[in-house]
Amino acid sequence: MTTLSSPATGPRPARRTRHALPRRRVLPWRRELAWRRVRPEWVLLVSGAALVPWLYVLARTVPSTALVVRWNAAWVGLDALEALGLLSTAALRRGGDDRHRLTAAATAALLVVDAWWDTVTAAPDGELVSAVAMAVCAELPLAALCTALALGRERRPVTDATTVGTTTAPGPAVAPRTPITPGRRPTRE
């Protein structure tokens, strides 16, 4: 490549044609830098603040009664998601998997939404009493339990069941390992 000289700037490379320029690759650190510019906290903050005036618009414009198609499918779907959440949380926790906190958080949210919609959409007679009783006695206590599991208020030691108390063929019994607390990696002694 030839260089051209200018008295003010000194030597500089000759100009290449457009086709001769190499393609610019986006480096991984540049993607990370771009992600740091868009802060998720600010996106969430702006989105939440934008919903406040929208709530006023909804309260003024949405009619108080509506005819809903497939109402039963909506309720069956919500209760099926709750059942799936409760069962998966129980299975993950029983297996000592720390991911039970994620399913517990989602299930708690579903249970609170279910309690809300049950009471808000109930007819003002015995149906409302039944909905409030179901919310107070079942859905909200289960949501509180799931929230406690999601936040990890309790620390239940879990032992590694594959090596505790087992014996190897000709040797002595394997000593039990130290308990593993969910959410922490086991340490070697």
Side-chain angles (χ1 to χ4, degrees), residues 55-140:
L55 293 173
Y56 178 77
V57 171
L58 286 178
R60 294 298 208 175
T61 59
V62 174
S64 59
T65 60
L67 178 63
V68 179
V69 181
R70 292 184 293 279
W71 185 248
N72 59 347
W75 284 110
V76 169
L78 179 61
D79 287 346
L81 286 173
E82 290 172 6
L84 180 65
L86 291 168
L87 292 171
S88 61
T89 300
L92 288 169
R93 180 164 165 76
R94 183 161 169 79
D97 194 339
D98 207 28
R99 291 176 293 178
H100 77 276
R101 299 182 194 289
L102 300 173
T103 58
T107 305
L110 287 171
L111 287 164
V112 169
V113 167
D114 191 10
W116 170 258
W117 282 106
D118 277 344
T119 55
V120 169
T121 60
D125 52 351
E127 190 177 320
L128 179 61
V129 172
S130 162
V132 169
M134 189 72 164
V136 170
C137 296
E139 293 160 346
L140 294 178

Side-chain angles (χ1 to χ4, degrees), residues 159-164 166 177:
T159 56
D160 189 0
T162 59
T163 59
V164 174
T166 59
R177 286 189 182 175

